[in-house]
């Protein structure tokens, strides 16, 4: 099984619908992230969480919300999806800096979202 | 503000030739620098990192990168390219502050290795 699992892998929805992307990890990492990938723009940070009680906005948080249900689970929601949220979404994890290898991100396989 | 620039959208190289994928960065404090690779329909995979020490860092699949502080660059290199190296490559930087684990990514460079 993958260390970081994202569901769904692909989703097509309509404008105005609520969408949730889920992420779970077996790495035991405290830190989790949601990124968005658009062609030519690379990865942009949406939200990040350093532990269950810590949620922080990233560069492009408008129109998104997150929930850290447990150390291993971090979900991303689009309350009312719009077409310019069509993108590839990645969940990632990392350990805290005090642990060897802490600087490395482990990514899920991605969730491709299309908003019509 | 932290930022990463990858000036080339695409790099084309013949199999067996050396390859270079360029990256420059801007960060406050000491930089922590990374390269990731993305194969089609896959998430990003870690290749190598520079935290401190030797400016030449060796990573997975025969890749290496050279940290140049004066030029604020961290170019990815490989002496002999393989067709299987064709993928999308991302440079990333994080702030060197101890407890701040936030990463910034470049826009990506598509590497095409032709037989």
């Amino acid at each position: 099984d993958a260390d970081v699992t994202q569901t769904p892998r692909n989703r097509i929805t309509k404008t105005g619908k609520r969408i949730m992307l889920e992420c779970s990890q077996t790495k035991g990492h405290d830190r989790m992230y949601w990124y968005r990938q658009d062609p030519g723009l690379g990865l942009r940070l949406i939200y990040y969480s350093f532990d269950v009680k810590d949620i922080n906005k990233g560069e492009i948080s408008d129109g998104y919300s997150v929930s850290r249900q447990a150390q291993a689970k971090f979900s991303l929601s689009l309350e009312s999806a719009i077409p310019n949220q069509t993108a590839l979404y990645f969940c990632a994890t990392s350990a805290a800096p005090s642990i060897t290898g802490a600087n490395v991100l482990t990514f899920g396989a991605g969730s491709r979202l299309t908003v019509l | 503000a932290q930022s990463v620039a990858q000036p080339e959208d695409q790099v084309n190289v013949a199999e067996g030739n050396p390859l270079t994928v360029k990256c420059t960065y801007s960060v406050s404090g000491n930089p922590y620098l990374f390269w990731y690779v993305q194969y089609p329909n896959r998430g990003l995979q870690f290749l190598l990192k520079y935290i401190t020490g030797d400016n030449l860092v060796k990573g997975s699949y025969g890749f290496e990168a050279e940290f140049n502080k004066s030029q604020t660059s961290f170019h990815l290199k490989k002496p002999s390219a393989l067709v299987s190296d064709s993928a999308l490559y991302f440079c990333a930087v994080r702030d060197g502050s101890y407890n701040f684990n936030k990463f910034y990514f470049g826009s990506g460079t598509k590497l095409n290795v032709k037989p």
Side-chain angles (χ1 to χ4, degrees), chain B residues 92-109:
Chain B
V93 65
R94 64 151 275 205
D95 190 287
S97 303
Y98 176 71
N99 201 30
F100 195 69
N101 222 173
K102 190 174 173 184
F103 299 82
Y104 297 87
F105 284 81
S107 56
T109 299

Side-chain angles (χ1 to χ4, degrees), chain A:
Chain A
D1 289 341
D3 292 325
V4 182
T5 302
Q6 291 184 232
T7 56
R9 292 293 312 279
N10 288 283
R11 181 72 183 268
I12 300 174
T13 191
K14 295 182 178 180
T15 298
K17 294 291 188 181
R18 184 178 187 274
I19 294 296
M20 178 180 286
L21 306 179
E22 299 186 345
C23 177
S24 63
Q25 53 118 342
T26 58
K27 298 286 290 184
H29 288 165
D30 289 327
R31 301 182 173 204
M32 298 187 74
Y33 310 78
W34 275 104
Y35 286 91
R36 168 178 170 160
Q37 184 181 24
D38 298 278
L41 295 178
L43 275 72
R44 293 181 290 169
L45 183 62
I46 306 173
Y47 271 95
Y48 60 104
S49 169
F50 284 179
D51 65 42
V52 175
K53 297 180 180 179
D54 177 79
I55 302 287
N56 303 280
K57 293 182 177 180
E59 305 169 67
I60 53 164
S61 58
D62 288 349
Y64 302 95
S65 63
V66 291
S67 173
R68 184 83 183 265
Q69 301 96 325
Q71 189 210 30
K73 295 184 182 295
F74 192 39
S75 60
L76 176 72
S77 294
L78 289 68
E79 296 300 328
S80 180
I82 55 176
N84 75 1
Q85 292 178 312
T86 293
L88 185 56
Y89 291 85
F90 285 106
C91 176
T93 73
S94 71
S98 60
I99 301 170
T100 300
N103 295 294
V104 174
L105 288 169
T106 301
F107 284 84
S111 295
R112 185 170 296 281
L113 176 65
T114 302
V115 183
L116 301 176

Side-chain angles (χ1 to χ4, degrees), chain B residues 6 21 35-37 47 63 76 85 87-91 108-109 111:
Chain B
Q6 292 180 242
V21 182
W35 277 101
Y36 288 83
V37 59
L47 270 182
F63 283 94
L76 181 70
D85 293 330
L88 189 56
Y89 291 81
F90 289 95
C91 183
T109 299
L111 174 65

